[in-house]
Amino acid sequence: MKKKRNSVDVLSMNGSKWRFLLFLVIPTFALYLFFCIVPMINSLINSFYDWNGYGPKTFIGIKNYANIFSDVEFWDALKNDVAIVFFKELIIVFLAVLFAVSLTRARLKKGEIGFFRFIFYVPNILSVIVITMVWKYFFENFDFLDKGWNILKTDNGIWADRPLALIIFIASWCGIGYYMIVLITAINNIPGELYESADLDGAGKIRQLWYIILPELAPQIRFVIVNILAGSLAVNMNLILPLTNGANHTMVMGLYVYNYGTSNLSMVGYAYAAALVLMFVSFVLCFAVNMYMKRQEAKQA
Amino acid sequence: MKISIKKTLAVVLSVATVLSLSGCRIVYKVSEKEVEKVHYDVITVEDEVSAETPSSAESTTTSNSQNKPNGNKGGNTSSAVSAKPEKEKKLSGSLKIQVFINESQNPSDAWTEVADAFEEATGVNVTLIMGSQVNTQYSARWLAGEAPADILLIAGNGLPDEQMAKSGTFYDLSDVIKNGKVYGTSKKISDVLNMKVIETENGKIFRAPLMTSVQGLWYNKNTIKTAPRNYEEFKAISKKQKSGLTYPGQYADYSTWGLFMPAVAAYGQDFFNQVASGNPDAFKDKRFMAVLNKYEDYCKSKLVLVGSSSADHITSQLNWLNGKCGFITNGLWLESEMHDYIPSNFHMAFMASPLIENNQKPTVIMNSVNLAVAKKAKNLENALAFIRFIYKENMQLAYMSRYSYASALKSVNYQHAAMSTVARETLDYIYSGKVSIVNKGVRWNNLIDNEFKNVINDMTNGKMTAKQASTALYNAAKKSS
C-alpha cells in the first residue's frame, strides 16, 4: 500500500494562508534573487568583456574563456585543486570514521571522551591564519625531528619541494573534527539492539564496524564527501594565500580568480570568466559524486 | 535541577552575547584606528599669504648639478629649489589625502610633518586617511568612479594605477608638472624635477613623482667588508658565508627588480627598455641570457639559502638579519621596515646587482613613487597646490629622511637632513658616480611579471635551466603582446 504523504492542498488554502505563505516565501526569494542570481548573471555578462575594472568595457565574446583554457597556470590550478580535494577526502573520511568509532565504541571514560573530542575539534575553532602560521613555523623549524628519514628535510626546503603534500596535510587536519562530530551523532543513533544481536552471533568489533556501523553511516559519509568537495574547491585559497601565495606551483583556482580580479593584474572580465569556470567545475563534480553515491546506496539497499 | 541548568544556560548565553557584541565593537574600533584620520586645525588666513614660512625656508646655496640627471648631492652641495619667495593665491577649504603606509611609524611621521607645513603655508585643512588597508577599504569607491580622496599615494597592492590612469580616474597633471612652479617659489617644477622617471599615458602625465626608489642587494658591512662589484666577486664572497643569497620566494619580484633587471640595465637604457617593455625577442637576446646563466651557475653552486623560494618577505628578511646568509634582495625601504629587528652588531649596506661582467658598471633602476590627483577631486585647487608643495626641498627631505628613499628632484642637499646613517650611506652610494642610474619609465604586462616570479623560483630549486627560463619568459611576453 502506497504511503500517504502529508501535504498542503494549495487549491483549498484560504486568503490568510496564502498571505502567510507569501510572507515567508517572498523575502527569501527576493534575497536569493538579488544576492545570488543577479550577481551570477552579472558575472556571466562581464565575462564576455575585456574590462580592467575601471573605464569602458569591450565586448570580446568567448575570448576570455579561450584564454583561460589555453593558460598553463589555469590547468596547474585545477590539477592542484583536484589533488588537494581528492586526498583530503580520503584522509578526512578515514580518520573521521576512525576517531568517531573510537570515541563511541571503545571503552573510554566519560572524561577521556570529552577530552579527545575537544582535542580533535580544536582546529575547527582556530583562525585559518593561526593554523597556517603554526604549521608553517613547524615545518620550517622542526626538520631536525626526522633525522635520517628525510621526509621534512629536502634540497630546497620542504615548502619548496613538497608544498602540496603539506597543504593537503594541513587542510585535512583542519577538517577532521567537524566531520567526526557529525559521524559521532550518527553512530549514537544506531539502535543498540543491532550490536547486541551481533554480539550474540559472535561478531567481533571489526565485523560490527564493517556490517553495522559503516552501512548505517553511509548517508552521513556521503554528506561528508559532498560537503568537503563543495567547500574545498573555492576555499583552498584561504590556506594557500598565507602559506605559499601560489609560489612553487601551488596555484589553485580560487587564488587564480583572486589574482586576476583584485591584484594589480586587474583583468576583471577575465576573472569573472575564471570564477564561472570554477563554479561550473565545482557544480559538475559535486553533482556527479552525489549521483554516484546515491546510486551505490540504492544498489546496496 | 532542570531549572538551575536552564538558568545556568541563560547566564552563559547572555555572557556570550554580551562578549560577542563587545567583540564587534572592538573590531569596529580597530578598523577605525586603522584608517587613522589625522585632522588638523584650520588656520585662518585673512589676506593673501606668503607661502614661504620660516619652517619651510629653502637652502640658498648654488646648484652645481642642475643639468645632470639624477644629480642629487650630499655634503655641502646645492639645493635646486633656491629661489626667492613668491606670493601664492589665497587658499581655503580642505584637502583629503589617501596614504598607504606599512607597519613602520616613520612614513606616517613624514606625512604628518608635510601636512602640518602645508596647513601652515596655505591655511588649507588637511585630512590624512592613512593605514595599511586603505587601498582595500577604498578600492570599491575608486572603482565606482567616486573620489574618496583628493590625492592618492600610489603604493601597496590593490590599486591598479595604470588602469586608473588610462580610464580617466586621475586628473591630467601635465600642465602642472611642465609649466607649474614649486609652491612659493619662482622655480619651474620641470627644471628641478627628475623628469625621466615620469610615466606617461599617451603623452599625458597622470602621476606626479613624490620620491624615487631603487632595488638591489643588502649585506652586512660588519661581515662583508667590501661589496662585490661583479659576478665573480659575488660568487667568491658568497662561498665564504654560511649561505650566499636569500629572497622572498612568495614575492619573487623582489629578485626580478633587485637582482635580474638591474643586471639587464647594466647593458644600457636601450636594452633595458626593450626588456622592461616586454619585447619578446629581448628575452632571447644573448645579453639577457648572460644574466640568466650567471644565476643558474649561482644556484647550481648551492649558494641560495635553502627555503628562500618559499619564504615570505618577513621570513627572508629575518633570516638575513639573523646571519643565515650574506645577501638579500630588497628595496630602500628595508631599513625602515625592519627598524625594530636590526641586531646591534649589524651594519646594513646597499649595493647594486652583482650579476654583471667584470667590465660592466653596477647599475640601479630608478623608479618613482607617485601621487595622483582624482579627476573628480572636491578640492582640486588645493590638491594641485599640494602637488607643487611637495617639490619644496624641505618637504622632499621630510619624505627622504622618514622613508629612506631618494628624492624626486634632480638635486637635494640631504647631508644635514635628520636621516639614519644607513639611509645617508645608501644615497651617497647611489649618487657616488660608481653606479649607473637607469630610469624605469616603462612597464611590461603583469603576465610577464608573474612568469618571471615562477622562473626565478624554478631556477632556484634547480627545476629550470637558463635556456628554459628564457623560453618561458619569451612565451609570456609573446602572449601578452
Side-chain angles (χ1 to χ4, degrees):
Chain A
M1 191 182 156
K2 207 173 179 184
K3 194 180 172 186
K4 197 180 176 186
R5 288 179 181 276
N6 289 328
S7 61
V8 177
D9 187 352
V10 177
L11 294 174
S12 67
M13 282 202 315
N14 58 26
S16 68
K17 279 188 178 173
W18 268 110
R19 279 194 295 277
F20 181 67
L21 201 62
L22 290 175
F23 172 75
L24 293 177
V25 169
I26 287 176
T28 315
F29 183 73
L31 287 172
Y32 185 70
L33 184 73
F34 286 112
F35 294 107
C36 198
I37 302 294
V38 171
M40 272 163 67
I41 293 170
N42 188 42
S43 303
L44 182 67
I45 293 167
N46 282 326
S47 71
F48 296 118
Y49 284 87
D50 177 15
W51 185 42
N52 60 31
Y54 294 82
K57 304 172 187 176
T58 312
F59 184 78
I60 54 168
I62 58 165
K63 201 178 170 189
N64 280 333
Y65 291 94
N67 288 340
I68 286 169
F69 292 124
S70 65
D71 186 3
V72 179
E73 196 170 35
F74 166 77
W75 291 108
D76 268 352
L78 185 60
K79 194 180 71 188
N80 288 341
D81 265 327
V82 170
I84 292 170
V85 171
F86 178 74
F87 287 106
K88 202 172 146 183
E89 295 272 18
L90 287 182
I91 295 168
I92 288 183
V93 170
F94 177 73
L95 290 179
V97 169
L98 188 74
F99 293 157
V101 171
S102 305
L103 292 180
T104 48
R105 304 296 301 155
R107 293 178 195 282
L108 293 173
K109 288 176 189 166
K110 208 174 179 184
E112 289 170 339
I113 293 171
F115 173 76
F116 284 116
R117 276 190 191 188
F118 172 74
I119 292 293
F120 292 139
Y121 196 74
V122 158
N124 289 79
I125 54 173
L126 289 177
S127 153
V128 175
I129 290 296
V130 174
I131 290 168
T132 52
M133 289 303 113
V134 166
W135 282 112
K136 200 173 172 191
Y137 183 79
F138 177 85
F139 285 121
E140 276 170 1
N141 296 284
F142 289 82
D143 54 355
F144 62 86
L145 287 176
D146 76 330
K147 245 178 186 166
W149 298 355
N150 284 341
I151 296 170
L152 299 177
K153 208 164 192 169
T154 61
D155 286 350
N156 303 300
I158 184 86
W159 281 109
D161 289 335
R162 293 186 188 126
L164 221 52
L166 297 189
I167 290 161
I168 290 167
F169 169 78
I170 296 168
S172 307
W173 181 81
C174 298
I176 291 169
Y178 171 72
Y179 295 111
M180 180 195 75
I181 298 290
V182 170
L183 295 178
I184 283 176
T185 313
I187 292 171
N188 285 338
N189 286 335
I190 298 173
E193 295 85 2
L194 291 176
Y195 298 118
E196 285 167 16
S197 308
D199 281 337
L200 288 174
D201 290 344
K205 294 287 177 194
I206 301 294
R207 277 180 174 268
Q208 287 182 17
L209 170 68
W210 194 252
Y211 289 107
I212 298 175
I213 299 176
L214 286 181
E216 289 290 323
L217 282 185
Q220 280 72 31
I221 290 176
R222 179 160 60 85
F223 163 79
V224 170
I225 289 173
V226 175
N227 213 33
I228 292 170
L229 190 60
S232 294
L233 284 174
V235 298
N236 278 339
M237 72 163 276
N238 293 356
L239 284 175
I240 303 280
L241 196 63
L243 283 174
T244 67
N245 196 27
N248 296 307
H249 304 282
T250 54
M251 182 59 72
V252 286
M253 285 169 68
L255 187 58
Y256 184 84
V257 173
Y258 174 81
N259 278 349
Y260 280 98
T262 62
S263 72
N264 288 348
L265 285 171
S266 214
M267 291 163 67
V268 177
Y270 187 86
Y272 273 121
L276 286 173
V277 172
L278 169 62
M279 194 183 80
F280 182 74
V281 170
S282 304
F283 175 77
V284 168
L285 280 175
C286 288
F287 186 75
V289 169
N290 201 16
M291 289 300 291
Y292 174 77
M293 297 194 71
K294 267 186 178 174
R295 277 187 191 172
Q296 291 297 315
E297 273 177 45
K299 270 185 192 173
Q300 283 173 5
Chain B
M1 184 64 188
K2 275 184 182 176
I3 293 168
S4 66
I5 289 171
K6 278 182 182 173
K7 276 182 181 173
T8 315
L9 269 173
V11 170
V12 169
L13 280 173
S14 309
V15 171
T17 310
V18 170
L19 279 176
S20 65
L21 283 174
S22 63
C24 288
R25 288 185 66 182
I26 289 164
V27 171
Y28 174 69
K29 279 180 180 172
V30 170
S31 166
E32 211 173 40
K33 195 179 175 186
E34 184 67 32
V35 185
E36 186 187 347
K37 293 186 178 181
V38 184
H39 202 81
Y40 297 89
D41 296 327
V42 181
I43 299 168
T44 312
V45 183
E46 296 298 332
D47 301 307
E48 279 196 342
V49 290
S50 166
E52 202 62 30
T53 59
S55 66
S56 59
E58 308 289 352
S59 165
T60 53
T61 49
T62 316
S63 169
N64 62 359
S65 57
Q66 284 281 315
N67 300 320
K68 290 180 189 173
N70 309 309
N72 286 31
K73 292 288 177 184
N76 292 318
T77 52
S78 62
S79 152
V81 191
S82 55
K84 62 178 182 180
E86 287 276 310
K87 291 221 167 183
E88 288 279 352
K89 188 184 165 191
K90 182 187 172 187
L91 295 172
S92 62
S94 59
L95 178 68
K96 250 185 191 177
I97 309 174
Q98 180 179 321
V99 181
F100 167 88
I101 49 169
N102 57 18
E103 300 84 359
S104 171
Q105 177 66 27
N106 284 349
S108 62
D109 289 346
W111 281 97
T112 308
E113 187 180 332
V114 172
D116 277 339
F118 186 67
E119 283 196 338
E120 195 179 340
T122 62
V124 170
N125 189 15
V126 179
T127 304
L128 297 172
I129 309 168
M130 292 198 286
S132 59
Q133 300 299 320
V134 285
N135 291 350
T136 313
Q137 285 163 329
Y138 287 93
S139 64
R141 291 183 63 189
W142 285 107
L143 194 65
E146 293 177 34
D150 302 304
I151 292 180
L152 169 69
L153 172 70
I154 299 166
N157 286 325
L159 285 173
D161 59 301
E162 195 178 357
Q163 284 81 2
M164 291 168 87
K166 282 178 182 164
S167 65
T169 309
F170 297 151
Y171 182 82
D172 181 2
L173 295 169
S174 305
D175 188 48
V176 179
I177 300 293
K178 286 177 185 169
N179 306 315
K181 289 177 180 170
V182 177
Y183 192 89
T185 76
S186 57
K187 281 280 177 190
K188 277 183 80 176
I189 292 173
S190 56
D191 289 338
V192 296
L193 184 63
N194 177 8
M195 300 291 280
K196 289 182 179 174
V197 295
I198 294 176
E199 290 179 86
T200 57
E201 306 292 341
N202 299 322
K204 290 179 179 174
I205 300 170
F206 291 101
R207 286 157 286 197
L210 173 68
M211 295 168 279
T212 51
S213 182
V214 299
Q215 282 174 261
L217 264 62
W218 290 87
Y219 63 99
N220 181 4
K221 233 177 176 175
N222 288 345
T223 54
I224 299 170
K225 301 292 177 196
T226 313
R229 283 161 298 178
N230 53 53
Y231 178 62
E232 291 305 320
E233 290 182 15
F234 179 51
K235 196 174 165 186
I237 293 174
S238 295
K239 280 181 178 172
K240 290 177 187 167
Q241 312 300 313
K242 278 185 191 170
S243 192
L245 172 79
T246 191
Y247 69 97
Q250 289 190 21
Y251 305 92
D253 47 336
Y254 277 52
S255 278
T256 309
W257 294 103
L259 187 67
F260 285 83
M261 291 304 283
V264 169
Y267 287 101
Q269 181 84 51
D270 284 347
F271 183 60
F272 169 77
N273 285 349
Q274 282 182 44
V275 179
S277 59
N279 176 359
D281 293 331
F283 293 102
K284 294 246 171 189
D285 192 284
K286 62 180 181 187
R287 289 168 287 185
F288 190 76
M289 281 302 300
V291 176
L292 292 180
N293 283 332
K294 288 184 185 74
Y295 190 65
E296 186 184 355
D297 178 63
Y298 193 79
C299 295
K300 276 184 178 168
S301 307
K302 303 276 179 200
L303 292 171
V304 180
L305 179 67
V306 172
S308 295
S309 68
S310 58
D312 58 59
H313 77 290
I314 292 292
T315 305
S316 71
Q317 287 160 199
L318 286 174
N319 282 342
W320 174 68
L321 287 172
N322 289 331
K324 291 185 180 174
C325 59
F327 303 91
I328 185 172
T329 55
N330 221 292
L332 293 186
W333 57 83
L334 181 60
E335 190 212 359
S336 163
E337 188 178 1
M338 300 305 286
H339 189 263
D340 298 335
Y341 308 97
I342 301 170
S344 54
N345 62 343
F346 209 91
H347 190 146
M348 293 172 66
F350 180 83
M351 59 173 273
S353 170
L355 291 189
I356 54 173
E357 307 289 343
N358 297 1
N359 57 355
Q360 284 183 301
K361 196 172 177 182
T363 305
V364 291
I365 301 163
M366 187 160 271
N367 65 295
S368 55
V369 178
N370 299 316
L371 291 182
V373 173
K375 196 173 184 179
K376 292 182 181 171
K378 287 177 188 138
N379 306 291
L380 185 61
E381 195 180 7
N382 296 345
L384 298 181
F386 187 83
I387 295 295
R388 296 192 293 120
F389 192 77
I390 59 171
Y391 296 125
K392 292 163 80 67
E393 185 174 294
N394 52 345
M395 296 304 109
Q396 285 289 305
L397 289 172
Y399 286 117
M400 287 169 75
S401 55
R402 299 282 172 31
Y403 273 89
S404 302
Y405 281 9
S407 170
L409 303 182
K410 288 175 188 170
S411 170
V412 168
N413 181 355
Y414 56 82
Q415 282 306 324
H416 301 293
M419 60 174 63
S420 72
T421 311
V422 172
R424 198 184 310 280
E425 285 176 355
T426 304
L427 292 174
D428 285 346
Y429 169 76
I430 292 169
Y431 297 119
S432 63
K434 292 175 188 168
V435 180
S436 294
I437 298 174
V438 163
N439 297 296
K440 194 174 175 191
V442 288
R443 283 192 201 193
W444 57 29
N445 188 296
N446 278 313
L447 293 174
I448 302 174
D449 220 37
N450 264 3
E451 192 59 39
F452 220 130
K453 290 184 214 173
N454 292 335
V455 158
I456 291 169
N457 285 335
D458 284 347
M459 286 182 77
T460 304
N461 295 338
K463 291 172 183 165
M464 192 179 257
T465 62
K467 203 173 178 187
Q468 288 168 330
S470 160
T471 307
L473 289 167
Y474 172 85
N475 290 338
K478 198 90 178 162
K479 194 177 169 187
S480 64
S481 61

